[in-house]
Amino acid sequence: MKVDLMIIKAKELVTVSGASRPRTGSEMDEINVIPDGAIAIVEDRIIDLGPTAEIVQKYPHPHKLINAENKVVMPGFVDPHTHPVFKETRENEFEMRLKGKSYVEISTSGGGIRSSIQGVRETSADRLFQLAVKRIKKMILNGTTTLEAKSGYGLSTESEIKMLKIIRRLNEELPIDIVATFLGAHEFPVEYKDDKNGYINLLINEMLPEIKKLNLAEYCDIFTEEHVFTIEQSRRILKRAKELGYKIRMHADEIQPIGGASLAGEIRAVSADHLGATSDKGITALKENGIIGTLLPATIFSLGLNTYARARDMITAGVPIALATDFNPGSSNCDSMQFINTLACLKMRMTPAEAITASTINAAYSLDRGDEVGSLEIGKKADIIVLDMPSYQYLSYHIGSSSVETVIKNGKIIKKNKPSENYPEGLPK
Ligand code: NIG
Ligand code: FE
């Protein structure tokens, strides 16, 4: 068989192979590394993998060859929680927080999510698209090959549809897969601040059905939190979304333990995200209903807090854990899944292998894409990254620069960095 692309001699070929379902408990620590590994690709699929000597013998004349000597080869990162479409960044709020204001104080005094609304409403779709392209290209450089992207900075029917059409265009025009989530319940827009029921009715009677009809979003998300959508309001909105055929994800228990994880269980969400304040009862609800806990440590880090999610207790309880950047202009301006791996290890005591499982296969299941991406197995999509590093532990150990050298999506090389050869002219090699 003629192989289109072959990667050989990987010091460690990290397959993350295993059961065809989200990995739990001790499975999260098993990433199945093949030393001196090779992988053979035809079109967009992995057709074989194993020790280099074996693969080279089976397929002697690949069309294209990547020598990964002294490097790590692993599945591309899946980032299952981002907000990449917005006009301006909000580093002014970062400084306000450093001077003592809290995220909630800034939000309730007119900043926060509401301050991003105007930018999205006033800016042309083309301009917002270009800004998002620039941000997502950085994520690709950092090794992300599948991404979830949310609306939620429009908060009117028209501007939420505008955002979701931008996300659809990003998926069509960028080389990675982008999964769309409707987040109309991200905040109450100012014009409804004294008529919360009015906004909920708009969500239920107009936005959700209209967006479904246009087929613009696979998931419906909500910010369930004391200062935004209460448990009762969230239940109403999510029940309607479910009836209409959306899959559900939630911002749950980010700041206050108001029972977001339990509601995720009741509603059978696919994923409950943040979970910094989740109680034992919440953890049990996640476990019993097979819900993936998507943890976002860069948000806690960036907010200067210490309320990291209890990853160890969740893993012990059997909750499958995924990791994401939560890339957004307010609480987490992080575009690097490598940095997320570092935070997961240092701040939530996950092992380097657990962090890899959480940012590949479990993240893929959190987007209902676990059968296609997230691990290197025969028949799956060839979404692969080559990292200039000696071992998989180095991924979370190294801080501050990207080690990603080559990014392959659907069997095609979409990015090639050569960090080790990239010295500016004139510097000694
Ligand atoms: O996930 N929690 C709600 N949404 C974002 C914050 C968005 C913003 O502040 O603009 C989050 O942290
Ligand atoms: Fe978020």
Side-chain angles (χ1 to χ4, degrees):
M1 183 186 279
K2 186 75 182 159
V3 163
D4 294 320
L5 175 63
M6 194 145 94
I7 306 171
I8 57 165
K9 294 189 181 175
K11 184 153 184 276
E12 294 184 354
L13 178 62
V14 177
T15 64
V16 203
S17 61
S20 302
R21 52 166 173 74
R23 312 289 164 73
T24 56
S26 60
E27 292 169 351
M28 285 194 65
D29 207 25
E30 293 158 15
I31 53 175
N32 291 319
V33 175
I34 302 175
D36 191 6
I39 185 158
I41 297 155
V42 172
E43 293 178 358
D44 62 339
R45 300 279 151 180
I46 296 166
I47 60 138
D48 212 345
L49 73 172
T52 297
E54 211 174 274
I55 297 296
V56 166
Q57 205 185 22
K58 271 167 112 174
Y59 314 97
H61 303 293
H63 182 69
K64 204 177 173 84
L65 191 66
I66 295 176
N67 182 342
E69 220 170 332
N70 295 321
K71 288 169 190 160
V72 168
V73 173
M74 62 175 275
F77 292 117
V78 177
D79 187 348
H81 184 140
T82 81
H83 310 245
V85 182
F86 54 86
K87 170 85 185 309
E88 270 152 18
T89 49
R90 308 206 309 258
E91 56 276 27
N92 56 322
E93 294 179 8
F94 176 73
E95 185 166 356
M96 285 161 81
R97 287 197 301 272
L98 291 173
K99 290 179 175 161
K101 284 248 181 308
S102 74
Y103 179 77
V104 173
E105 277 165 357
I106 294 169
S107 299
T108 46
S109 59
I113 294 165
R114 277 197 191 133
S115 66
S116 291
I117 304 304
Q118 207 181 349
V120 163
R121 289 184 180 177
E122 288 174 2
T123 308
S124 74
D126 265 342
R127 178 77 186 126
L128 290 169
F129 171 80
Q130 294 305 341
L131 288 166
V133 164
K134 206 171 143 199
R135 297 171 191 135
I136 295 172
K137 280 188 173 170
K138 276 199 185 167
M139 298 179 186
I140 296 173
L141 276 177
N142 285 331
T144 297
T145 49
T146 300
L147 184 74
E148 183 259 15
K150 304 176 197 294
S151 67
Y153 291 124
L155 309 191
S156 67
T157 308
E158 190 195 345
S159 58
E160 284 294 307
I161 289 176
K162 174 164 103 176
M163 285 191 80
L164 288 165
K165 285 188 172 163
I166 293 168
I167 293 169
R168 182 170 67 187
R169 186 173 163 206
L170 291 165
N171 181 47
E172 286 164 0
E173 295 189 26
L174 285 169
I176 64 168
D177 289 316
I178 301 176
V179 179
T181 295
F182 170 56
L183 180 56
H186 199 189
E187 176 54 288
F188 291 91
V190 253
E191 62 274 22
Y192 281 97
K193 81 174 172 8
D194 299 319
D195 180 18
K196 295 195 166 169
N197 253 329
Y199 187 62
I200 293 169
N201 288 336
L202 182 74
L203 277 164
I204 285 178
N205 299 326
E206 190 175 295
M207 290 193 197
L208 280 167
E210 185 72 17
I211 286 160
K212 189 73 210 170
K213 206 165 77 204
L214 296 169
N215 199 17
L216 282 170
E218 186 172 326
Y219 285 89
C220 174
D221 194 349
I222 189 162
F223 192 5
T224 301
E225 195 65 51
E226 212 167 57
H227 74 287
V228 208
F229 292 86
T230 64
I231 291 290
E232 291 68 35
Q233 293 166 336
S234 301
R235 184 182 285 114
R236 250 187 92 196
I237 295 163
L238 294 178
K239 274 196 166 159
R240 177 74 174 131
K242 201 133 193 197
E243 272 166 28
L244 287 165
Y246 290 88
K247 290 180 264 189
I248 308 296
R249 34 199 336 107
M250 287 179 69
H251 286 66
D253 301 334
E254 175 178 352
I255 305 163
Q256 298 291 336
I258 64 167
S262 299
L263 179 61
E266 179 190 321
I267 224 89
R268 298 278 172 132
V270 178
S271 174
D273 300 20
H274 282 292
L275 307 175
T278 298
S279 62
D280 288 346
K281 199 170 146 221
I283 294 178
T284 306
L286 297 177
K287 158 71 186 144
E288 282 178 355
N289 295 288
I291 293 162
I292 297 181
T294 298
L295 309 185
L296 315 171
T299 311
I300 303 302
F301 184 75
S302 172
L303 293 177
L305 302 174
N306 223 342
T307 48
Y308 292 91
R310 293 157 56 200
R312 285 257 61 87
D313 291 340
M314 292 179 195
I315 292 172
T316 303
V319 177
I321 297 301
L323 289 166
T325 59
D326 192 17
F327 178 81
N328 76 69
S331 60
S332 175
N333 205 245
C334 173
D335 51 25
S336 166
M337 286 297 284
Q338 293 166 86
F339 184 55
I340 296 297
N341 274 251
T342 300
L343 289 177
C345 293
L346 290 175
K347 300 293 190 181
M348 303 194 294
R349 294 283 161 212
M350 289 172 70
T351 66
E354 286 171 343
I356 287 175
T357 299
S359 41
T360 56
I361 191 69
N362 280 5
Y365 275 109
S366 136
L367 295 179
D368 218 355
R369 302 260 182 310
D371 294 339
E372 282 286 281
V373 299
S375 63
L376 305 182
E377 296 179 85
I378 293 172
K380 279 191 141 177
K381 275 195 185 190
D383 289 8
I384 303 168
I385 52 179
V386 181
L387 301 118
D388 187 13
M389 54 174 68
S391 66
Y392 72 82
Q393 291 96 335
Y394 187 99
L395 179 69
S396 36
Y397 149 86
H398 177 76
I399 305 167
S401 65
S402 172
S403 301
V404 174
E405 200 172 271
T406 306
V407 182
I408 297 161
K409 175 71 190 179
N410 293 328
K412 304 277 171 309
I413 298 174
I414 58 168
K415 213 73 229 177
K416 213 167 179 174
N417 311 318
K418 276 270 181 188
S420 47
E421 293 170 18
N422 232 356
Y423 295 109
E425 211 57 44
L427 268 184
K429 299 254 157 108

